[in-house]
Amino acid sequence: MVTIDDRPDPNWHRGTGFAGRFHLENFPQSGAQVVGVTAARPENRDHFAVKHGLRSFASVAEMLPEIDLLDICTPPSSHSQYILEAAAAGKHVIVEKPLTGFYGSPEQYDKRQMLHVVVEEARRLRDAVRTAGIILGYAENFVYAPSIQKEREIVEKTRAQILRLVGEESHSGSHSPVYGIWSVQGGGSLIAKGCHPLGAILYLRRKEGIARTGKPIRPVAVSARTHSITRLPAFEIKASCGLSIMTPKITRSCT
């Protein structure tokens, strides 16, 4: 019998839903070994563990002493807690999107208050990760799409200025049973669906700024429009998000 300590690159899942299954299917390509799993419901984690030949653990805290990396596949409202626990234990982290959000009532707080809370939470996570010296891997894969990487290559080689970036995401719904619950998801369509094209746009703007001036271009403001674009019974789009991002103007003289 192979023990956990005998396996290379021990890794562990927190979450047994769609994201957990999706991550598990792709780990063999990385060479990592997934050794354990946990979930809020004992029956879910036990079933997942038996099905995939893993150990079932009652909590994140119970598993941390035996792993090198924690893969967080839970709803966003729990991300901060597990990131901080892993950082305190000196364990690397992979976390699903979105990283964090605002989990209060959108009817009781204005947007500026929400933004302040989210920024402070992001800083707290950043500081904990830096202090622990761990790697925090944000599982947003849009930036690795061939089209995005081709654009990055062009920008870096030519120092070209990107004149306009427009993002859109359409989806017939989420695989998460808690999607649409603000106190769990941390936001609406912008954070749940718009985070995909938004991440790609911010990535390219960063690469453009570094290539042209040595400093990343950071957004001034982000706005979004949401629509229901079809009412066909067989394919009802429940979330569609279009993005507009304002960034500082960069001028370039030509002689």
Side-chain angles (χ1 to χ4, degrees), residues 102 106 109-120 220:
F102 179 79
Y109 300 88
D110 61 38
K111 293 179 180 179
R112 190 171 297 278
Q113 291 174 313
M114 294 182 191
L115 177 62
H116 175 74
V117 170
V118 174
V119 169
E120 289 302 310
V220 174

Side-chain angles (χ1 to χ4, degrees), residues 113-132:
Q113 291 174 313
M114 294 182 191
L115 177 62
H116 175 74
V117 170
V118 174
V119 169
E120 289 302 310
E121 180 62 12
R123 287 172 175 164
R124 184 166 77 114
L125 296 176
R126 177 200 62 189
D127 293 344
V129 168
R130 286 180 175 175
T131 300

Side-chain angles (χ1 to χ4, degrees), residues 176-195:
S176 171
V178 296
Y179 179 79
I181 302 175
W182 195 291
S183 61
V184 180
Q185 186 66 29
S189 295
L190 174 58
I191 192 170
K193 293 292 179 282
C195 63

Side-chain angles (χ1 to χ4, degrees), residues 194-231:
C195 63
H196 292 302
L198 177 60
I201 290 174
L202 295 178
Y203 172 79
L204 288 175
R205 281 299 191 188
R206 176 182 177 82
K207 294 298 184 180
E208 176 194 354
I210 293 174
R212 300 186 64 214
T213 69
K215 297 180 180 179
I217 299 174
R218 301 188 182 280
V220 174
V222 178
S223 62
R225 292 177 297 170
T226 59
H227 310 272
S228 179
I229 61 177
T230 179
R231 295 183 179 180

